[in-house]
Amino acid sequence: MAEKRDYYEVLGLKQSASDEEIKKAYRKLAKEYHPDLHPGDKVAEEKFKEINEAYGVLSDKDMKAKYDQFGFAGVDPSFAANAGAGFTGDISDILNDLFGGFGGFGGFGGFSGFGGFSSSAQRRNAPARGSSIRAGLTISFTEAAFGCQKEVSVPRIETCETCGGSGCEPGTTPEVCPECHGSGTVTTQQRMMGMIMQSQTSCPRCGGSGKIIHAPCKTCKGAGSIRRQKKIGVKVPAGIDNGQSISVHGQGNAGTNGGPAGDLIILVSVQPHEFFNRNGSSILCEMTISVTQAILGTEIEVPTLDGNVKYAIPAGTQSGTIFRLKGKGVPYIRGNGRGDQFVTIKVDIPKNLTARQYELVTELDETLGGKGTGKKSIFRKK
């Protein structure tokens, strides 16, 4: 048997090499001597094993420290027999980067480790929370402002009432899968290029459930759950706006193995109002008055969410003037109080004046200093 070479020498490094330098050297050499690039070349295969063995030690801080102090004697003897054994670093990621595209070699994402290292299998029978479901709800402008009680109908997965979610006929129980012992997964090991690859797959006998049902429930056919249409009452909070959502806790799909149900997420659509517009908690609207009302002032009735209110328009009001009605807006969705209503005044300018009306306006213009346009009109006498 050939004498072992110093691990630093194998990777072409000095003992002072950094972790990044070690990884970089490994990447370069592993790609150069990979067996897929040298099919049938025993020398390249042995070289590749030697490179992996060296990297497996030098990439592990504890083993590297022992090797630096005691040499090969400081390293677990079994490590040399299985290149990479005990290594829990990122060699799989490196190999994926380098050789993921080579035919027949495949990715390493499915392997749980090298040389006997494996991650603990996920507990397939542990309680799991159900998924959330979504629904839409359309409400009126006023319902959004003041809140309301609604009902939505949604399809959802519910725990089977007959078997209580076990999937078995009442009076029977499932058998723990003898193949995977209830874990839902089976572990396989494969020796490849001096390394032991360990992978986990779904148990073929129980389909990954970890249990075998000999007498399936007649209601749910052994699934433990059924899908049905459900009507759910929803409290819509005052002040909700178009596009916002409501979360109803525990009204989503049923959980598994005794886990809690998910949530029902309701997306709210608010119908537009024929008179009001909304900006956050503010209500916006427009009111039109005549020229004389704008000049002389007047009192108007302004529609609000609470009914009509009277508002005094002062003399000389210009078109585009905005008045504020405090506390007449939308209730704050979080907190007390309400927003305001803002009323924009539009002055209606008459277009078709009679001859007499034109004379009166002209006289008014003259009394105001002749600020009119001075243009002749068809109503003015020649």
Side-chain angles (χ1 to χ4, degrees):
M1 184 175 180
E3 183 179 353
K4 278 183 173 294
R5 288 201 298 156
D6 176 72
Y7 289 144
Y8 289 102
E9 180 184 343
V10 171
L11 297 182
L13 299 169
K14 296 182 179 180
Q15 189 170 345
S16 59
S18 64
D19 293 343
E20 188 60 34
E21 290 174 331
I22 293 173
K23 182 183 292 187
K24 185 176 180 180
Y26 170 76
R27 285 177 181 270
K28 179 181 177 182
L29 293 171
K31 187 173 184 179
E32 182 179 351
Y33 291 99
H34 192 276
D36 280 5
L37 300 178
H38 307 279
D41 189 337
K42 296 297 182 181
V43 175
E45 183 177 342
E46 290 301 318
K47 185 73 173 178
F48 185 73
K49 291 179 182 178
E50 185 181 44
I51 293 167
N52 276 293
E53 180 180 335
Y55 182 71
V57 172
L58 298 183
S59 62
D60 185 291
K61 291 185 178 180
D62 293 335
M63 298 187 73
K64 179 177 181 297
K66 293 178 181 178
Y67 179 74
D68 288 344
Q69 186 173 2
F70 303 108
F72 293 113
V75 182
D76 185 350
S78 65
F79 191 96
N82 298 298
F87 169 58
T88 60
D90 61 354
I91 190 172
S92 61
D93 291 335
I94 294 175
L95 291 178
N96 264 331
D97 292 342
L98 294 175
F99 312 112
F102 290 134
F105 194 79
F108 285 78
F111 295 110
S112 58
F114 291 79
F117 171 78
S118 64
S119 60
S120 59
Q122 181 181 3
R123 295 183 60 194
R124 298 296 179 94
N125 294 323
R129 185 175 184 272
S131 59
S132 294
I133 57 178
R134 296 182 178 274
L137 177 64
T138 300
I139 59 177
S140 70
F141 191 94
T142 305
E143 287 174 329
F146 294 115
C148 58
Q149 193 71 30
K150 289 289 184 177
E151 190 176 71
V152 295
S153 180
V154 295
R156 71 175 185 182
I157 297 173
E158 298 182 351
T159 300
C160 177
E161 296 176 355
T162 303
C163 65
S166 69
C168 301
E169 269 292 289
T172 66
T173 56
E175 174 193 358
V176 175
C177 178
E179 185 76 20
C180 65
H181 306 291
S183 69
T185 59
V186 291
T187 303
T188 57
Q189 290 186 344
Q190 181 180 7
R191 191 177 183 85
M192 189 176 186
M193 296 173 293
M195 297 178 289
I196 296 178
M197 308 295 187
Q198 181 170 288
S199 62
Q200 290 183 339
T201 58
S202 181
C203 177
R205 185 164 183 178
C206 66
S209 66
K211 58 186 179 182
I212 297 176
I213 299 175
H214 297 289
C217 170
K218 293 183 176 61
T219 303
C220 65
K221 313 301 182 185
S225 60
I226 55 177
R227 180 180 289 273
R228 62 161 54 109
Q229 200 76 13
K230 181 73 173 180
K231 290 185 177 180
I232 301 172
V234 180
K235 183 179 180 181
V236 179
I240 196 165
D241 207 348
N242 185 59
Q244 293 183 330
S245 59
I246 304 169
S247 179
V248 186
H249 181 68
Q251 293 296 334
N253 288 328
T256 56
N257 302 316
D263 297 334
L264 169 61
I265 311 299
I266 301 173
L267 182 64
V268 176
S269 296
V270 180
Q271 294 175 327
H273 195 276
E274 59 183 6
F275 181 71
F276 298 120
N277 287 313
R278 180 174 170 181
N279 183 10
S281 60
S282 298
I283 293 290
L284 311 177
C285 68
E286 293 182 354
M287 293 290 293
T288 300
I289 62 176
S290 68
V291 173
T292 54
Q293 286 177 316
I295 295 173
L296 302 175
T298 187
E299 185 177 80
I300 61 175
E301 284 196 350
V302 182
T304 73
L305 293 175
D306 305 303
N308 291 349
V309 297
K310 292 183 178 181
Y311 190 86
I313 301 294
T317 295
Q318 304 297 311
S319 185
T321 300
I322 299 175
F323 295 104
R324 173 185 175 189
L325 300 179
K326 189 173 182 180
K328 292 299 182 181
V330 176
Y332 299 124
I333 192 168
R334 293 182 180 85
N336 300 322
R338 295 171 59 173
D340 302 325
Q341 179 171 331
F342 294 90
V343 183
T344 301
I345 298 298
K346 298 293 184 180
V347 178
D348 182 26
I349 307 296
K351 297 180 180 179
N352 299 310
L353 297 178
T354 66
R356 176 58 180 157
Q357 289 171 334
Y358 191 90
E359 288 177 0
L360 293 173
V361 174
T362 302
E363 290 178 10
L364 175 62
D365 180 55
E366 291 174 351
T367 61
L368 295 175
K371 295 182 180 179
T373 61
K375 293 181 180 179
K376 291 185 178 181
S377 167
I378 59 174
F379 298 109
R380 179 175 290 182
K381 295 181 179 179
K382 297 181 180 178

